[in-house]
Amino acid sequence: PPNPGDVTSRGWLNASCHAMKFMASNVTEVMRAHGREAGDASLQNFAMKASDFSGLMIQGGICTSLLISLLENPLAKKYGDFLVNGFSNEDRTATKVRVKTTLDPFSTVGQKWIAAVRDAMAASEVWVSDPSFPGDTTVLGEMHLTGMAQEQMDGAADTFASLPRVIGATLLIVMAVLGSAFRSAVVPLRAVLCLSWMLLVTFGLGVLVYQHGVLQSLGIRPFLTSPDPPAHHAMYWMTPCIAFSILVGLGLDYDVFFMESVVEHFDAGYSSREAVVEALRHTGTIICVAGVIMFLAFGSLLIGASPMINQLAFHLCVGVLIDCFVTTKVIIPCAMAMLDLLPGNANFWPRKPPPALTEPTVEPLPPLRRLGSLRNSLSDNARRSAMSPHGVRSMQSPA
């Protein structure tokens, strides 16, 4: 409330009670409209009652303002303070109201209910007792709907609001790292485009399976959608966020491993097309084996009982298979073949192949006859030295 003493004010309590009743009827109309749009018979008969609110101003759908005012009597003040303190903070600047619902607040329908309640709360912060007299208003103050489901809903909204910035920053960092590693402006652009293709296909298949239920008829539990009506099927909000980071890392790992071999052959003098063919021949089997190993590791998560883990495992398995057997084997070679049609070495621009190596200059060995004459001259010099007086004296023993 706007003033600390309002929590025990009869006027504020009475206005708050009527605001709760208005919110119940407003939410009922909104949810029934959602039911008609989605063809959900259970929502078409949905009804939120005033008795769903339990607080200082309302109990069992009945306003308690008169009771609270009676408890201000000195004889009953002790019990009145006990009741007020049970629903208010120590300073009496806020009061809490419990709200119950028959819907699952973690489901898609439950999230619509949360949004409807919050909209009704925002419309009731200033309560007009009689529309015929707009001046007869009561400021109820700020209202907030909290709880575990609401916190997850708010966290999901904040996460998805930041997700485009996270994706953009991630791809920019990837381009900067690949550009400095390969000294090329085309290699990082091609890598990001191929990586984006893999992510779009992976998440598109996830939407088909878990939101449109294309595998529902198989009856396999990891591929089943939520028990909500078809119009309310959805994926767990953390699944794409976690899968994106892991798939980007795995996709770049295979891409860099393949491109390192391509660049190695390109620097060795192969043309772009020949370098790609040689790189596929050297790395294709290794990438396939690595992909199968990762598929088996992630596939084990599909046997879990958690729907969120099942959805995450599905995206990781599909992404790894697409990247290892389609992107690396088909998409990247085709993209490089198309770039090879452009003039120059467009695949590696502005990188240039190293200059051709020249054979080192080696002086020829002396002919064998020169070596023979040199050996004979050395032998003659040795014999003359041995027959000289100095050589004879050097052979005598001392006296």
Coordinates of all heavy atoms in Angstrom, one line a residue, residues 24 27-37 39-49 52 101-103 109 113:
A24 N -10.5 -11.8 -10.4 CA -11.0 -13.2 -10.6 C -11.9 -13.2 -11.8 O -11.7 -14.1 -12.7 CB -11.7 -13.7 -9.3
V27 N -9.7 -12.5 -15.0 CA -8.9 -13.7 -15.4 C -9.7 -14.8 -16.0 O -9.3 -15.5 -17.0 CB -8.1 -14.2 -14.2 CG1 -7.4 -15.5 -14.5 CG2 -7.1 -13.2 -13.8
T28 N -10.9 -15.0 -15.5 CA -11.8 -16.0 -16.0 C -12.2 -15.7 -17.5 O -12.1 -16.6 -18.3 CB -13.1 -16.1 -15.2 OG1 -12.8 -16.4 -13.8 CG2 -14.1 -17.1 -15.8
E29 N -12.5 -14.5 -17.8 CA -12.8 -14.1 -19.2 C -11.6 -14.3 -20.1 O -11.8 -14.8 -21.2 CB -13.3 -12.7 -19.2 CG -14.6 -12.4 -18.5 CD -15.0 -11.0 -18.5 OE1 -14.2 -10.2 -19.2 OE2 -16.0 -10.6 -17.9
V30 N -10.4 -13.9 -19.7 CA -9.2 -14.1 -20.5 C -8.9 -15.5 -20.8 O -8.6 -15.9 -21.9 CB -8.0 -13.3 -19.8 CG1 -6.8 -13.6 -20.6 CG2 -8.3 -11.8 -19.8
M31 N -9.0 -16.4 -19.7 CA -8.7 -17.8 -19.9 C -9.7 -18.5 -20.8 O -9.4 -19.4 -21.6 CB -8.5 -18.5 -18.6 CG -7.4 -17.9 -17.7 SD -5.8 -18.0 -18.5 CE -5.6 -19.8 -18.6
R32 N -10.9 -18.1 -20.7 CA -12.0 -18.7 -21.5 C -11.8 -18.3 -23.0 O -12.0 -19.1 -23.9 CB -13.4 -18.3 -21.0 CG -13.8 -19.0 -19.7 CD -15.2 -18.7 -19.3 NE -15.5 -19.4 -18.1 CZ -16.7 -19.2 -17.5 NH1 -17.6 -18.4 -18.0 NH2 -17.0 -19.9 -16.4
A33 N -11.3 -17.1 -23.2 CA -11.0 -16.7 -24.6 C -9.8 -17.5 -25.1 O -9.8 -17.9 -26.3 CB -10.7 -15.2 -24.6
H34 N -8.8 -17.8 -24.3 CA -7.7 -18.6 -24.7 C -8.2 -20.0 -25.1 O -7.7 -20.6 -26.0 CB -6.6 -18.7 -23.7 CG -5.8 -17.5 -23.5 ND1 -5.2 -16.8 -24.6 CD2 -5.4 -16.7 -22.5 CE1 -4.5 -15.8 -24.2 NE2 -4.6 -15.7 -22.9
G35 N -9.1 -20.5 -24.3 CA -9.7 -21.8 -24.5 C -10.4 -21.9 -25.8 O -10.3 -22.9 -26.5
R36 N -11.2 -20.9 -26.1 CA -11.9 -20.9 -27.4 C -10.9 -20.8 -28.6 O -11.1 -21.4 -29.6 CB -12.9 -19.7 -27.5 CG -14.1 -19.8 -26.5 CD -15.1 -18.8 -26.8 NE -14.6 -17.4 -26.4 CZ -14.8 -16.9 -25.2 NH1 -15.4 -17.5 -24.3 NH2 -14.3 -15.7 -25.0
E37 N -9.9 -20.0 -28.5 CA -8.9 -19.9 -29.5 C -8.2 -21.2 -29.7 O -7.9 -21.6 -30.9 CB -7.9 -18.8 -29.2 CG -8.5 -17.4 -29.2 CD -7.5 -16.4 -28.8 OE1 -6.3 -16.7 -28.5 OE2 -7.8 -15.2 -28.7
G39 N -9.3 -24.2 -28.8 CA -10.1 -25.4 -28.9 C -10.0 -26.3 -27.6 O -10.2 -27.5 -27.7
D40 N -9.7 -25.7 -26.5 CA -9.5 -26.5 -25.3 C -10.8 -26.4 -24.4 O -11.1 -25.3 -23.9 CB -8.3 -25.9 -24.5 CG -8.0 -26.8 -23.3 OD1 -8.7 -27.7 -23.0 OD2 -6.9 -26.5 -22.6
A41 N -11.5 -27.5 -24.3 CA -12.8 -27.4 -23.6 C -12.6 -27.2 -22.1 O -13.5 -26.5 -21.5 CB -13.5 -28.8 -23.8
S42 N -11.5 -27.6 -21.6 CA -11.3 -27.4 -20.1 C -11.1 -25.9 -19.8 O -11.6 -25.4 -18.8 CB -10.1 -28.2 -19.7 OG -8.9 -27.8 -20.4
L43 N -10.5 -25.2 -20.7 CA -10.3 -23.8 -20.5 C -11.6 -23.0 -20.7 O -11.8 -21.9 -20.1 CB -9.2 -23.2 -21.4 CG -7.8 -23.5 -20.9 CD1 -6.8 -22.8 -21.8 CD2 -7.6 -23.0 -19.5
Q44 N -12.4 -23.5 -21.7 CA -13.7 -22.8 -22.0 C -14.6 -22.8 -20.8 O -15.5 -21.9 -20.6 CB -14.4 -23.5 -23.2 CG -13.6 -23.3 -24.5 CD -14.3 -24.0 -25.6 OE1 -15.5 -24.2 -25.6 NE2 -13.5 -24.3 -26.7
N45 N -14.4 -23.8 -19.9 CA -15.2 -23.9 -18.7 C -14.4 -23.4 -17.4 O -14.9 -23.6 -16.3 CB -15.7 -25.3 -18.4 CG -16.6 -25.8 -19.6 OD1 -17.4 -25.0 -20.1 ND2 -16.5 -27.0 -19.9
F46 N -13.3 -22.8 -17.7 CA -12.4 -22.4 -16.5 C -13.1 -21.2 -15.8 O -13.7 -20.3 -16.4 CB -11.1 -21.9 -17.0 CG -10.2 -21.3 -16.0 CD1 -9.4 -22.2 -15.2 CD2 -10.1 -20.0 -15.8 CE1 -8.6 -21.7 -14.2 CE2 -9.3 -19.4 -14.8 CZ -8.5 -20.3 -14.0
A47 N -12.9 -21.2 -14.5 CA -13.5 -20.2 -13.6 C -12.6 -19.9 -12.5 O -12.3 -20.8 -11.7 CB -14.9 -20.5 -13.2
M48 N -12.2 -18.7 -12.3 CA -11.4 -18.3 -11.1 C -12.4 -17.6 -10.2 O -13.1 -16.6 -10.6 CB -10.2 -17.4 -11.5 CG -9.3 -17.0 -10.4 SD -7.9 -16.0 -10.9 CE -7.0 -15.9 -9.3
K49 N -12.4 -18.0 -9.0 CA -13.3 -17.5 -8.0 C -12.6 -16.5 -7.0 O -11.4 -16.6 -6.8 CB -14.0 -18.6 -7.2 CG -14.7 -19.6 -8.1 CD -15.4 -20.7 -7.4 CE -14.3 -21.6 -6.7 NZ -13.5 -22.4 -7.8
D52 N -10.4 -18.0 -4.4 CA -9.0 -18.4 -4.7 C -8.0 -17.4 -4.0 O -6.8 -17.8 -4.0 CB -8.8 -18.4 -6.2 CG -9.6 -19.6 -6.8 OD1 -10.0 -20.5 -6.1 OD2 -9.9 -19.5 -8.0
T101 N -4.8 -22.1 -7.7 CA -5.3 -22.4 -9.0 C -5.3 -23.9 -9.3 O -4.5 -24.6 -8.7 CB -4.6 -21.7 -10.2 OG1 -5.1 -22.0 -11.4 CG2 -3.1 -22.1 -10.2
T102 N -6.2 -24.3 -10.1 CA -6.3 -25.7 -10.4 C -5.4 -26.1 -11.6 O -5.2 -27.3 -11.9 CB -7.7 -26.1 -10.8 OG1 -8.2 -25.3 -11.8 CG2 -8.6 -26.0 -9.5
L103 N -4.8 -25.1 -12.2 CA -3.9 -25.3 -13.4 C -2.5 -25.5 -12.9 O -2.1 -25.1 -11.8 CB -4.0 -24.0 -14.3 CG -5.3 -23.6 -14.9 CD1 -5.2 -22.3 -15.6 CD2 -5.9 -24.7 -15.8
V109 N -0.4 -23.5 -20.4 CA -1.7 -23.0 -19.9 C -1.5 -22.2 -18.6 O -2.0 -21.1 -18.4 CB -2.7 -24.1 -19.8 CG1 -4.0 -23.5 -19.3 CG2 -3.0 -24.8 -21.1
W113 N -2.2 -18.2 -17.6 CA -2.9 -17.8 -16.4 C -2.1 -16.8 -15.6 O -2.6 -15.8 -15.1 CB -3.2 -19.0 -15.5 CG -3.8 -18.7 -14.2 CD1 -5.2 -18.5 -14.0 CD2 -3.2 -18.6 -12.9 NE1 -5.4 -18.2 -12.6 CE2 -4.2 -18.3 -12.0 CE3 -1.9 -18.7 -12.5 CZ2 -3.9 -18.1 -10.6 CZ3 -1.6 -18.5 -11.2 CH2 -2.5 -18.2 -10.3

